[in-house]
Amino acid sequence: MEPEVFSSGFLLFRKQNGLQFLLMKHRKRWDLPKGHLDPGETKQQAALRELSEETGLGVSDVWFDPTFVFEHRYWVSYKRNGYKKQCKELTIYLGLLLCDKPIQLTEHEGHEWIDWSPPHQIQVETIDPLLQQVRAYLERRPKWPEL
């Protein structure tokens, strides 16, 4: 299946009372800071833009893991396309917040920092598979940067 819709974002961690990751609150669900690619934009550019737009965090606030990328394809249907089923490709990068900076909400009802204590059950389609892959990755990779 070839993707017709592309989305990218970040799984953002922070070190505070252990390791925690950020979830954004939508009306009916939790999600990551992510969104659709704009025309001419790379996946990484879109992920950085969405992180900034949805959290207020800048590039200098976050360390980006250069070796981790999560890609996942699944079926979606949107009202704007007459509920036609389309293949969506989601790309998620891994980041670590470098400073204690508050999240500035612009598109969500709230946010929450979740303690990293796998396994997690948050959202079966995308977040749970991502967190499973991150768990395996963190078990074999070098330690996070010292803050």
Side-chain angles (χ1 to χ4, degrees):
M1 68 182 158
E2 286 298 315
E4 300 174 74
V5 179
F6 296 87
S7 179
S8 65
F10 273 92
L11 176 60
L12 184 64
F13 282 92
R14 73 175 182 182
K15 289 182 179 179
Q16 187 167 323
N17 300 323
L19 199 56
Q20 299 177 321
F21 63 95
L22 179 66
L23 288 180
M24 309 302 287
K25 177 70 174 146
H26 287 269
R27 273 184 346 135
K28 298 181 180 180
R29 63 184 167 86
W30 289 97
D31 209 343
L32 302 170
K34 66 177 181 63
H36 292 107
L37 275 66
D38 286 343
E41 200 172 39
T42 68
K43 295 174 187 178
Q44 192 171 41
Q45 288 169 336
L48 291 167
R49 176 184 50 77
E50 289 291 340
L51 182 66
S52 177
E53 287 177 2
E54 295 185 9
T55 67
L57 299 172
V59 173
S60 63
D61 299 320
V62 178
W63 172 81
F64 306 104
D65 190 314
T67 61
F68 180 88
V69 177
F70 173 81
E71 293 184 326
H72 183 64
R73 292 181 180 180
Y74 57 103
W75 294 101
V76 296
S77 58
Y78 298 109
K79 182 178 180 179
R80 65 180 174 260
N81 291 340
Y83 296 104
K84 173 188 161 205
K85 283 183 85 171
Q86 296 175 296
C87 178
K88 180 176 183 177
E89 182 177 87
L90 170 65
T91 304
I92 298 293
Y93 300 94
L94 199 56
L96 177 67
L97 188 60
L98 294 172
C99 55
D100 187 20
K101 190 170 179 183
I103 301 299
Q104 299 172 7
L105 298 175
T106 58
E107 302 176 19
H108 299 78
E109 294 181 359
H111 74 283
E112 189 169 328
W113 289 98
I114 307 295
D115 290 337
W116 180 251
S117 57
H120 298 283
Q121 294 181 329
I122 297 168
Q123 198 262 12
V124 174
E125 186 68 53
T126 57
I127 296 177
D128 294 353
L130 165 65
L131 296 178
Q132 290 170 3
Q133 187 171 324
V134 168
R135 178 184 187 183
Y137 176 74
L138 292 179
E139 288 173 355
R140 68 179 189 275
R141 79 170 299 280
K143 300 290 181 197
W144 289 99
E146 292 302 319
L147 301 180

